[in-house]
Amino acid sequence: MCLATIAKVLEVNQEKGTAWVDFGGVKREARIDLMPDVKVGEYVLIHTGFIIERVDEETAREILNAWDEVFKVEEDAVGGYYYPGD
């Protein structure tokens, strides 16, 4: 199962067709093919390495805060990722 995740755009490289994004401290490169006009500072929804949608800042913060709450109570959540037990 794949999960779309909220991230903040840190840098955009139009020539490569990518953007560096921040998933709450974890930085990754994502493709901008579906949203080539994305801008630094915007919050976006990323699915399978592609930026697929803009998310307004208030909604992004609500979602990120909800995930923070999950990670506080879920013992198997490590660094923002959930690892189910064996």
Side-chain angles (χ1 to χ4, degrees):
M1 176 176 81
C2 294
L3 178 67
T5 309
I6 298 288
K8 186 173 186 176
V9 178
L10 302 175
E11 180 182 326
V12 177
N13 186 327
Q14 292 290 339
E15 288 181 18
K16 282 181 63 180
T18 62
W20 278 96
V21 298
D22 182 354
F23 294 97
V26 176
K27 295 172 180 67
R28 297 279 188 259
E29 201 169 26
R31 298 292 309 173
I32 63 170
D33 302 278
L34 302 174
M35 296 207 55
D37 60 340
V38 69
K39 295 180 179 40
V40 171
E42 291 183 315
Y43 285 91
V44 293
L45 190 62
I46 299 181
H47 181 66
T48 64
F50 286 85
I51 296 174
I52 61 171
E53 185 176 333
R54 277 183 191 80
V55 178
D56 66 84
E57 186 171 349
E58 181 180 348
T59 301
R61 291 191 185 282
E62 288 175 8
I63 293 168
L64 293 171
N65 288 337
W67 277 114
D68 285 342
E69 291 300 314
V70 169
F71 297 139
K72 285 179 189 175
V73 298
E74 179 53 58
E75 293 178 11
D76 292 327
V78 178
Y81 294 95
Y82 179 74
Y83 296 97
D86 295 329

